[in-house]
Amino acid sequence: MAQAQAEADRFDAIVIGAGAAGLMAAATAAQRGRRVLLVDHARNPGEKIRISGGGRCNFTNLGVEPARFLSGNPKFCISALKRYTQWDFIDLVTRHGIAWHEKTLGQLFCDGSARQIVSMLVGEAQAAGVRLILGRSVSDITQSDGTYRVTLDGGTVSAPKLVVACGGKSIPKMGASSFGYEVAARFGVPVTETRPALVPLTFAHQELDHLKPLAGLSCPARVGCNGTTFDEALLFTHRGLSGPSILQISSYWREGDSLRVQLAPETDIADALRLARSRRGGQMPATVLSRILPERLAQHVCQRWGGTGRIGDQSETQITALADAAANWVVTPVGSEGYRTAEVTLGGVDTDALDSRTMEVRTVPGLHFIGEVVDVTGWLGGYNFQWAWSSGWAVGQAL
Ligand code: FDA
C-alpha cells in the first residue's frame, strides 16, 4: 500500500506554476510520454492569460524576433524562439478553432475571450495526462541522489526533473510571488536585478500640477530614451504618463533618465504653423495646434512655449520654439507605478546560468527555469506570451 502511494507520488517531472509557460511545458512533456505533475498555489490555472489583452489575450506577435526581447544575453532567447515560433502557436490556436485577428503592429488577439486560450492549454495538458494540482502551496524543495522532493501542504512528491515556471512579481493580487527567485537562490543560481517593466511612469508633484488637467487625453507620440524609440499612443494619467509608447519605453528607462517626447510625430508641426501664419494669420497659435493635437493639450503646449499674440505675429524663432514645445518635449519621470500595475518583471534568473536549448541550470542537473522568471523580457504586444510558449515548449522537449 505504502509502496503504491510512493509510486503515485513519483513523476518524471514536476512543474511549479500553471501559468502560460508551465501549462505549455507540462503539456509538451506529457505529449512525449512523460508523467508530469503541474502544481500551482492559485485556485485557477492561467490567471494572467485570462486577464491579458483586456480579456482578449494578445497571444503572440507576427513580428517576433530576438531584438524585441531584453536580456543580459540578447542571444539567449534565439534558440527557443526559433524552435517554437509564433506560427507554431498560431497553428495550435487555429487547430482549436479559436478565432483571432491582428489588431495593430502584428499583435494577435482572440476574437472572443482569453479564456479560450486557457481552456486550450488546460485541455492539451489534461488530454496528455498531466496531473494538475491547484490551490496548494509548495513549502519545501530538496534535492538528493538526482531526485527533487517537493513538499506540498498534504504530502511530498518527487521527480528527477523540476521546472520552475512561477512567473514574475507583477500583480501580487493575482498570485504573483518571488518564489521562483527564492528557488534560484536556494540552488545557488544567480538572479539579475529585477524591476517593474511595461509600467506607467510617474512624475513629481511640481510637474504633475501642470499635467493633471490633461489626465485622460491620448495622442500619437514618439518617445525615446537611452537610444531606443517607440512610435505608439501616449496617455496622460493622474500620476504621470502611460499608454503603449510609455509602457514600452519603461523597460529602457532608469531613475534619473529623461524621456524625449515628440507629440504627433507624423506631422511636421513647424511647417503646419508656418502655413497657418501665411494663410490664417488671425488665428491664435493654440487654435492652429488644436488641429493637430487634442485641444487641451494644444493649450498646454502653448503655455509651455510662453509666447503671446496671433500666429501671424510670430517670428521664425517663435514658430520654431512653439514647434519644439510639442515635438521636442523633455520630461523626467521620478518613478513608476511599480509591480501593482506592471505587466512584467524585467531581469530574473541569469541566462548565463542556463542552457538556452533545455533551460536547464548548467550547475544543477534536472533543474529548469522558464517563462517570465528568467531574465528575458519582451516588448509589449504579445512578445511575453511568445517567450512563455517557446521556453515552455523547449523545456517540454528536454524532460
Ligand atoms: P505566469 O504569471 O503566467 O504564471 C506563473 C504561475 O505561477 C501563476 O499561475 C502563479 O499562480 C504560479 N505561482 C507563483 N508563485 C507560486 C508558488 N509559490 N507556488 C505555486 N505556484 C506559484 N503578455 C503578452 O504577451 N500579451 C498580453 O496581452 C499580456 N497582457 C498582460 C496583462 C496583464 C494585466 C499582465 C499582468 C501581464 C500581461 N502580459 C501579457 C504578460 C504575461 O501575462 C506574462 O509575461 C506571462 O503570463 C508569463 O508567463 P509565466 O508562465 O512565466 O508566468
Side-chain angles (χ1 to χ4, degrees), residues 16-22 39-42 44-49 51-53 57-60 109 136-138 165-168 170-171 174-177 179-180 342-344 370-373 381-386 388:
I16 306 179
V39 54
D40 203 298
H41 64 175
N44 297 304
E47 278 293 85
K48 276 201 187 154
I49 303 174
I51 60 153
S52 67
C57 186
N58 176 193
F59 56 81
T60 193
F109 286 75
R136 297 264 291 278
S137 294
V138 174
C166 295
S170 54
I171 325 270
M174 299 205 64
S177 74
F179 189 70
E343 268 198 21
V344 288
I370 53 169
E372 197 181 316
V373 73
Y383 296 94
N384 286 295
F385 276 140
Q386 186 59 43

Side-chain angles (χ1 to χ4, degrees), residues 263-390:
L263 301 170
E266 300 299 320
T267 307
D268 187 329
I269 293 181
D271 263 7
L273 295 171
R274 281 187 206 106
L275 193 69
R277 182 175 59 183
S278 64
R279 297 210 180 144
R280 290 183 289 267
Q283 286 191 340
M284 296 306 288
T287 311
V288 178
L289 265 188
S290 67
R291 281 196 289 276
I292 303 166
L293 302 173
E295 197 176 331
R296 264 186 291 148
L297 183 55
Q299 282 163 0
H300 172 83
V301 168
C302 285
Q303 274 167 18
R304 260 193 299 114
W305 164 59
T308 53
R310 296 177 186 278
I311 192 75
D313 304 331
Q314 306 305 320
S315 65
E316 186 54 27
T317 311
Q318 288 287 54
I319 292 278
T320 308
L322 175 53
D324 252 19
N328 205 358
W329 178 34
V330 177
V331 278
T332 310
V334 289
S336 81
E337 290 192 5
Y339 289 115
R340 192 179 56 82
T341 60
E343 268 198 21
V344 288
T345 302
L346 195 68
V349 171
D350 194 332
T351 52
D352 283 348
L354 304 179
D355 180 316
S356 64
R357 206 174 156 79
T358 60
M359 307 291 148
E360 186 173 22
V361 179
R362 293 180 196 280
T363 54
V364 189
L367 179 62
H368 304 248
F369 288 85
I370 53 169
E372 197 181 316
V373 73
V374 177
D375 173 28
V376 173
T377 307
W379 284 4
L380 184 77
Y383 296 94
N384 286 295
F385 276 140
Q386 186 59 43
W387 170 246
W389 317 138
S390 297

Side-chain angles (χ1 to χ4, degrees), residues 28-364:
T28 306
Q31 283 158 359
R32 294 180 55 250
R34 305 296 181 263
R35 275 192 80 211
V36 182
L37 173 68
L38 177 59
V39 54
D40 203 298
H41 64 175
R43 270 202 220 119
N44 297 304
E47 278 293 85
K48 276 201 187 154
I49 303 174
R50 182 180 62 77
I51 60 153
S52 67
R56 291 235 160 104
C57 186
N58 176 193
F59 56 81
T60 193
N61 194 294
L62 296 175
V64 167
E65 52 171 285
R68 295 177 176 186
F69 294 81
L70 293 88
S71 172
N73 173 5
K75 292 196 173 143
F76 179 82
C77 60
I78 295 176
S79 168
L81 292 175
K82 259 196 182 161
R83 288 163 67 219
Y84 190 87
T85 69
Q86 63 272 44
W87 307 110
D88 293 312
F89 196 76
I90 293 167
D91 186 46
L92 179 64
V93 167
T94 308
R95 271 193 279 124
H96 277 257
I98 299 173
W100 51 269
H101 61 279
E102 181 187 350
K103 193 170 170 193
T104 175
L105 300 170
Q107 300 167 5
L108 304 191
F109 286 75
C110 298
D111 287 358
S113 160
R115 288 176 197 273
Q116 293 174 285
I117 301 289
V118 181
S119 301
M120 174 187 83
L121 293 166
V122 172
E124 288 272 318
Q126 286 180 335
V130 171
R131 184 160 159 221
L132 183 58
I133 296 187
L134 297 169
R136 297 264 291 278
S137 294
V138 174
S139 52
D140 195 24
I141 299 174
T142 58
Q143 191 245 32
S144 60
D145 306 328
T147 299
Y148 290 88
R149 285 178 191 80
V150 175
T151 309
L152 306 168
D153 15 276
T156 299
V157 287
S158 65
K161 308 268 187 189
L162 180 68
V163 181
V164 181
C166 295
K169 300 180 193 172
S170 54
I171 325 270
K173 266 203 313 205
M174 299 205 64
S177 74
S178 297
F179 189 70
Y181 312 107
E182 288 160 22
V183 177
R186 195 174 311 173
F187 286 93
V189 183
V191 175
T192 65
E193 184 207 355
T194 52
R195 51 184 288 126
L198 301 184
V199 64
L201 297 175
T202 56
F203 290 118
H205 287 299
Q206 212 180 357
E207 187 99 42
L208 267 188
D209 287 343
H210 301 294
L211 295 180
K212 261 188 186 156
L214 304 176
L217 286 182
S218 164
C219 73
R222 179 170 299 153
V223 181
C225 184
N226 291 321
T228 302
T229 302
F230 291 97
D231 272 30
E232 289 189 58
L234 175 142
L235 173 72
F236 291 86
T237 73
H238 287 286
R239 300 184 63 192
L241 292 175
S242 185
S245 61
I246 295 296
L247 299 185
Q248 296 278 35
I249 210 69
S250 70
S251 299
Y252 296 83
W253 175 85
R254 293 292 177 275
E255 283 72 11
D257 290 342
S258 297
L259 306 180
R260 191 167 291 276
V261 180
Q262 183 180 354
L263 301 170
E266 300 299 320
T267 307
D268 187 329
I269 293 181
D271 263 7
L273 295 171
R274 281 187 206 106
L275 193 69
R277 182 175 59 183
S278 64
R279 297 210 180 144
R280 290 183 289 267
Q283 286 191 340
M284 296 306 288
T287 311
V288 178
L289 265 188
S290 67
R291 281 196 289 276
I292 303 166
L293 302 173
E295 197 176 331
R296 264 186 291 148
L297 183 55
Q299 282 163 0
H300 172 83
V301 168
C302 285
Q303 274 167 18
R304 260 193 299 114
W305 164 59
T308 53
R310 296 177 186 278
I311 192 75
D313 304 331
Q314 306 305 320
S315 65
E316 186 54 27
T317 311
Q318 288 287 54
I319 292 278
T320 308
L322 175 53
D324 252 19
N328 205 358
W329 178 34
V330 177
V331 278
T332 310
V334 289
S336 81
E337 290 192 5
Y339 289 115
R340 192 179 56 82
T341 60
E343 268 198 21
V344 288
T345 302
L346 195 68
V349 171
D350 194 332
T351 52
D352 283 348
L354 304 179
D355 180 316
S356 64
R357 206 174 156 79
T358 60
M359 307 291 148
E360 186 173 22
V361 179
R362 293 180 196 280
T363 54
V364 189

